[in-house]
Amino acid sequence: MAYTSSSYAQPSHMANPMAMGIVGPKFLAPYPVDLTIVRKLMSLSDGNFGVTDVNGNIMFKVKAKHLSLRDRRVLLDASGIPVLSFQKKLISLHNRWVVFRGDSSDSKDIIFSAKQSSLVQFKTSLDVFLGNNEHGNCDFKVKGSWFDRSCTIYAGDGRTIVAQMHKKHTVQSIALGKDTFAVTVYPNVDYAFIVALVVILHEINEEKNDVE
């Protein structure tokens, strides 16, 4: 179950978003959902990422698939059931990741894809396309500064905010060698979809840092 933040206030410029059951209607809530995404710097058996609600209850885990020719990640629910899987396209100038339903890698099960908005970026910018769309207008945009761990996710118009992410500093996260992100998902926005975007954003920037 997801929980709401009592301090949330919807920005006056934001239109009421349409219900966005992108991964599934069970990941929608009529109120804002506050999540904490923890990336373990050392890969442990329980996954590379853990996602909790404001009460510390596990909602998702993200695990890397080993023995694969491609970079592949799987998002699991609290029961360990695959919700969706991420796969990087082997040949992609813009670092495109494709997301499938469950543990599938079949094109008929594609939910969305995300890629860098441009080859050279000084600020974080991703274009997100639902389904098999790869060349039309994007359905969502991610903008911000990965260096500052601060990003905002917009609907395709680039003005309607659907989620916001920022770095979360805690004594525990520093002591245990963890990267921790606080994410607020706006009402009626699919929070499994938002978690997937944050993970993809992290993977793209980690790869860029490795190259540099």
Side-chain angles (χ1 to χ4, degrees):
M1 180 177 177
Y3 295 84
T4 179
S5 165
S6 59
S7 62
Y8 171 84
Q10 183 168 304
S12 59
H13 68 273
M14 180 188 169
N16 291 326
M18 295 174 60
M20 300 175 187
I22 295 168
V23 179
K26 68 179 180 179
F27 302 117
L28 294 175
Y31 44 78
V33 176
D34 287 335
L35 302 173
T36 298
I37 302 179
V38 180
R39 178 236 176 184
K40 296 182 176 68
L41 301 184
M42 296 180 64
S43 180
L44 302 175
S45 59
D46 61 347
N48 304 93
F49 290 86
V51 183
T52 62
D53 63 20
V54 294
N55 288 340
N57 300 311
I58 291 288
M59 297 183 68
F60 302 103
K61 293 179 182 179
V62 179
K63 291 189 175 183
K65 281 281 192 176
H66 300 295
L67 303 177
S68 172
L69 293 176
R70 298 171 182 251
D71 288 325
R72 187 169 170 81
R73 308 286 183 269
V74 179
L75 180 72
L76 309 168
D77 67 13
S79 302
I81 298 172
V83 175
L84 49 80
S85 55
F86 319 71
Q87 186 169 290
K88 183 185 174 185
K89 293 195 77 170
L90 287 176
I91 302 175
S92 174
L93 292 176
H94 289 265
N95 222 334
R96 181 183 290 271
W97 283 72
V98 182
V99 179
F100 303 85
R101 193 169 303 283
D103 198 15
S104 176
S105 58
D106 193 310
S107 60
K108 69 179 176 60
D109 292 319
I110 291 176
I111 301 175
F112 71 92
S113 64
K115 69 178 183 68
Q116 289 177 289
S117 301
S118 60
L119 290 175
V120 179
Q121 294 194 347
F122 299 101
K123 289 283 189 178
T124 299
S125 182
L126 297 184
D127 292 340
V128 183
F129 303 86
L130 298 181
N132 287 290
N133 176 26
E134 291 191 4
H135 304 292
N137 294 327
C138 65
D139 298 287
F140 295 88
K141 287 181 176 289
V142 182
K143 298 179 182 179
S145 169
W146 186 255
F147 178 79
D148 296 325
R149 299 298 198 268
S150 177
C151 293
T152 302
I153 301 170
Y154 299 87
D157 61 13
R159 297 185 301 273
T160 302
I161 299 172
V162 298
Q164 293 181 301
M165 180 203 86
H166 64 269
K167 177 77 172 178
K168 187 175 183 179
H169 298 281
T170 66
V171 173
Q172 183 184 32
S173 66
I174 295 171
L176 298 179
K178 296 177 179 179
D179 235 350
T180 304
F181 311 94
V183 179
T184 297
V185 184
Y186 283 28
N188 300 314
V189 176
D190 192 314
Y191 51 85
F193 166 67
I194 299 300
V195 169
L197 283 183
V198 173
V199 173
I200 290 172
L201 189 62
H202 181 275
E203 296 294 338
I204 288 175
N205 282 277
E206 283 293 290
E207 181 177 289
K208 185 166 63 177
N209 290 339
D210 289 343
V211 170
E212 294 172 353

